Structures are given as structure tokens and as C-alpha cells.
Amino acid sequence: MEMSPWVERANKVLMKNVGRLPVVFSRSAGAKLYDVNGKEYLDFLSGIAVHAVGHSHPVVVAALNKQAEKIIHVSNFFCLEEQILLAEKLAALSGLERVFFANSGAEANEAAIKLARKYGKTRMGGKYEIITAYHSFHGRTMGALAATGQPKYQEAFHPLPGGFRYAHFNDLASWEAAITPQTCAVLLELVQGEGGVVPVEPAFFHGLAALCERYGLLLMIDEVQTGLGRTGKFFAWEHLGVKPDIMTLAKALGGGVPIGALLAKEDVAAAFEPGDHSSPVGGGGLAFAAALAILKIMEDEKLPERAARLGAELKAEFRSWQQELPIIQEVRGWGLLLALELAIPAQPVMRACLEQGLIINAVSPTALRLVPPLNIDEDDLTRGLAILKRVLAANIK
Ligand SMILES: Cc1ncc(COP(=O)(O)O)c(C=O)c1O
């Protein structure tokens, strides 16, 4: 791979907090990225499910420019028109009446944890424990990290905030066993993204919702990765017909402009009183404008429906590959949040694809994650699939 001097400079000055790949980008359009050497890449990762409407969408760019000239920020003591419009839009789409804006998925989850704690303290006689899933991912801040049921992310950072218990995803008995007299809520993803793109089983989820009902627990769903069309519906819980009490969003909402959102039912949100939680930037004008433009594109172009259709087509295509490429052991996911479980290590496949101009992600040692923009051109999709198939075929010895 042709290395640019920018890679060396990055390696000297940026913290080594993630395993970065040796590519520096300078331009983007739709599902295409261009590195500093001018090489084109097809982006089947979308900044990890962030670019639902593709990179540098002209309507989003125009909205950002307009907003930058109009107004960007006023602190949390005041509102912006765009903030109110966005909250109204999200409330209308979800049926969850109250919205709080933060700057990231982790921050949205921190806010969700605090809301559940405050609700538990004031409405449930002081209950405070939250049950989350093993292999979940809720963010890197201390509270969100404590909620994340993956020791590999937590080990170096103990002591973490207490009050979390963990249960096995898709195993209802494990959740029931984790309930104590102190439990106030459960928090889970409906497709565990960072955990390897593992979808929830409907029977488990309905059982969990019934447990929440029986024990009076808040049902909290983290839609940071699954939310806003990615799984074929605006929200993954719509597939299952159970509206949560609390939901978090980020990623696709801002399309790369930092924003997170906490949504809750009216009576749950009422637990927050002035002074309980806040964020002086909390999204901000640019993020609200980008989000409004992105949601309009999603609705106008029916992108959740497109994700459902393309996802089903891709799954069928990958399953047809299994005949000639038996290294594909499983195809899983919902909509355009997909994974291929391989019989070989995923890292070398990801790197070979990168060399050939296709960006995908090794989400686990043996699984590839594919999360292309929901509005990807059919032509770009076909070209990217051809690269992936070629690389996989080259790996059959
Ligand atoms: C399900 C889920 N929750 C929370 C987060 C954290 O979001 P952020 O990186 O915006 O803090 C992520 C990020 O990958 C995620 O996938």
C-alpha cells in the first residue's frame, strides 16, 4: 500500500488510543472516499454506521453552510429553532415525547443512565441497578463503559461506577436471575453492533419486555448504531412492536457532525428537573441543521425501506456465495447492518479489501461488518461486492 507522509506525521502526533489503518483521507462524495494520494475507496463502513445518506451529501452541506451563517450556538440557557424542530421530528417519528440533545452516543447513554437512576430514586423507592448485556457496547465514558458488558474494554480502567449487572444476550433466564430488589432498568442493543452484529431473538425480547412489565423496570434501548433506518425501520424496536421507555441515538443523526439524543416517554422524562443534567453545546446549530436535512432525505427517499430491500438482497447474494466460498460460515444482521462470519481470520481480508479500494471492518477476529450508506448507488454496491468476492476467493487455499 502506498504510504503517504501524512501517515508518518499522524503516527508521531496522535495518541495511540486506537489501531489506525495507514490511510489519510482528503475528500468524499456519496459512498466514495479519496485518500491524500487521490486513490478512490468504496466505503462499506460509513464511518461505522454514521454516513447513512453518504459522505458530503449536497443537501446536508448546503444546510450546514446556511446554518453556519445564521446561528451556531447559544448555550443551554436558550433554544434554537432548529433544536425545537429536530426534537419535534424525533418525537413524531418515535412516539417518545421528550428529547435531550448531547454530543455523542456515549453522552446520550450517560444521560439515559442518569435518567433511569433519577427515576429509580424518585419513583421506585431508591432503586438504581441497571442490567445490561454481555458483549454489548454503550460507549467509552466511565458510565457508558460500566454499562458495556465487555471486560476487554473495561479491564484497564477499574474502578468503574457501580450499579450495573450483566446478563447473557438472548437468554431470558439470565436476565431474570440478574434482577434484584434494587433493579430499576434494563439497557440493550437490538443488534449488538460492536459485539459482532448479533441480532436479538424476538422471543427473547418479548420475554424481556414482559419481565420489565412484571417487575416495573424501565426498558432502555440503545439505537446509537441501529437507529435511523439502518436496520430497515427508523428504529430497530419497530421490527418487534415494543416501544421502549427510553431510547438513545447518535451516529447517523448527525452524519459526522457530533450529536447524540436521549428520548423518553413523558412520565419517565419528568424525573429530570432543572439542574439534573445538561450539556452547554449539546448538539448545537450545525448538528441540528445536519440532522434535520438527513431525516428529510431519509423520509423523501424512503431510505429505511431501501435498507430493508437491499439488506435482504445482499443476504441472499452472500448466501449464494457460500457454495463456492465455504469460508463464509454465516450471514447475519438486519437491513444494512450485516456481518459475514468467516472460517478464517477477518483482519487480513479487511486489509486486502482496503488495498483494493474497499473499506469494510473486522468487527471480531473472524467476522466482517458491512454497513454501507443507505443510499449507496447500485453501481458502487456492485463494484464493492466484486472486490469482496475476489478477496474472499483468493483466500481459499
Ligand atoms: C450501540 C452503541 N452505543 C453507543 C456507542 C458510543 O457512541 P459514540 O462513539 O458516539 O460515543 C456506540 C459506538 O459505536 C454504539 O455502537
Side-chain angles (χ1 to χ4, degrees), residues 48 104-107 109 137-139 189 194 222 224-225 250-251:
I48 317 189
S104 67
E107 273 188 36
N109 283 330
F137 188 84
H138 299 294
E189 301 151 88
E194 301 310 299
D222 178 339
V224 168
Q225 190 155 156
K251 289 186 179 284

Side-chain angles (χ1 to χ4, degrees), residues 367-382:
L368 299 174
R369 173 170 48 179
L370 297 116
V371 272
L374 309 186
N375 62 348
I376 186 170
D377 283 359
E378 302 263 344
D379 179 47
D380 288 341
L381 191 60
T382 309

